[in-house]
Amino acid sequence: MKTCIKNISTIVGILPQGVLRKQGAEMNETGTLDDAYLLIEDGRIAAFGKREDMPADADRYIDAEGGMLLPSFCDSHTHIVYAGNRSGEFLDKINGLSYEEIAHRGGGILNSADLLHSTSDDELYRQSMERVREMTDKGTGAIEIKSGYGLRTEDELKMLRVIRRIRENTPALVKATFLGAHAIGRDYRHEEYVQLVCNEMIPAVAQEGLADFVDVFCDEGFFTVEDTDRILTAGTKYGLRAKIHANELAVSGGVQVGVKHHALSVDHLEKTTDAEIACLKGTDTMPTMLPGSSFFLGLPYGRAKEFINAGLGVALASDYNPGSSPNGDMRFVWAMGCIRMRLTPVQALNAVTINAAYAMGASDEVGSITVGKRANLIITRPLPSLTMIPYQYQTPWIKLHLLSGQPC
Ligand code: NIG
Ligand code: FE
């Protein structure tokens, strides 16, 4: 089956095969082609080129009517498998409590763990799948999903099995991350829980092949650098590559321990010193910032521009979760990257596509317009320029979203 998209004003996000991420000055560029067509075959990008070279033998034509064509967003950091919501804590926050104060009172992540424990697998799947559809409707084509609201072996496995079921039922690409070390479960003392994560949870997760990555919330009041070192050592032994939550609440040492374990990404980074920037240089680790949680919690925005000026790449993701970022809209993330972090529209586009794909180990498959990659594509309404997208950030500019070549 050959589908041809015709009348494209500009294809944006073109990359040659084999480029898996962008760093430093590469972030300032995106490959473009004006007056173009794009051919999809068996759900993948088969070719693209100038209008005059468009093949005449496609089975189906989609008319872009002068809109642009972009790669779908990749969201490399989410917690969308959760039960219910935490709108009560939202009111506490409005009344002046901080994220840490809510957590200290036994709320926050532990509140979500209680809700998850009393929710059936089917209901958890139903609620989570609604969030997946909400995200694909808004242009996201690849989603990393973390566990971490189980905090007991059985409940962590329950979450990861729901993620597997999502993966089997959505046209989006899904990666799973084991985040047992998200908070100390209510039933355990600190050391006892770290041992449970290392000696029971990780082997059980690996035995069922439920996760691609292992993550730790390495931050003040949660897990120490030493805990993180032990958990990543255990995870790596079972073939799970590290991804880290670090430097959200304090300069935690999480970046350094992540880099020591060749983490694929270190995420949050609201609080970062020059030492973290220096430590990331020359590594395979993608710094990932989450402007949605900075916005929602009133935290500083990451120093993305300084990272780029130091020659590093940056990815941006939504952190969609019930406590610090109840929003999975990557159009908003792109806009916040520009409005609050002062990235250019092109830098932020690279951060929400190719670099986010890299941060979830999927940039050989999605994140750019490249022959052979999945045809995860956004067709826009006609726009005078790419800048219009993050500028007029509430305008519904997506006309059609294709996942593996099919409208979703
Ligand atoms: O990435 N920081 C830790 N974890 C999540 C929040 C989880 C929650 O509050 O439910 C985050 O912001
Ligand atoms: Fe998170």
Side-chain angles (χ1 to χ4, degrees), residues 77-79 82 86 89 99 103 107-110 112 146 148-149 179 182 215-219 222 245-246 248-249 267-268 270 290 293 297 299 318-325:
H77 183 136
T78 84
H79 307 250
Y82 62 84
R86 303 222 299 267
E89 291 178 2
Y99 184 81
I109 295 168
L110 296 182
S112 287
K146 300 176 196 296
Y149 295 123
L179 176 59
H182 198 193
D215 196 340
V216 179
F217 188 10
C218 180
D219 222 317
F222 290 84
H245 279 70
E248 175 184 1
L249 309 173
D267 301 26
H268 271 287
E270 288 86 348
L290 312 169
S293 36
L297 296 183
L299 297 174
S318 76
D319 197 18
Y320 192 175
N321 76 76
S324 65
S325 181

Side-chain angles (χ1 to χ4, degrees), residues 80-157:
I80 56 169
V81 172
Y82 62 84
N85 62 72
R86 303 222 299 267
S87 56
E89 291 178 2
F90 177 53
L91 297 177
D92 294 339
K93 199 170 92 56
I94 290 170
N95 288 321
L97 285 188
S98 70
Y99 184 81
E100 289 97 316
E101 284 162 341
I102 291 169
H104 283 146
R105 294 196 322 179
I109 295 168
L110 296 182
N111 187 349
S112 287
D114 295 341
L115 281 167
L116 186 128
H117 183 66
S118 58
T119 302
S120 72
D121 301 21
D122 283 348
E123 178 57 17
L124 187 60
Y125 171 74
R126 192 193 63 74
Q127 292 183 19
S128 307
M129 206 54 184
E130 251 176 46
R131 296 180 194 115
V132 170
R133 283 194 210 99
E134 173 197 328
M135 294 168 77
T136 54
D137 281 353
K138 292 175 177 171
T140 298
I143 312 171
E144 181 260 14
I145 311 174
K146 300 176 196 296
S147 71
Y149 295 123
L151 311 183
R152 299 170 179 176
T153 305
E154 257 323 297
D155 288 343
E156 284 294 310
L157 293 172

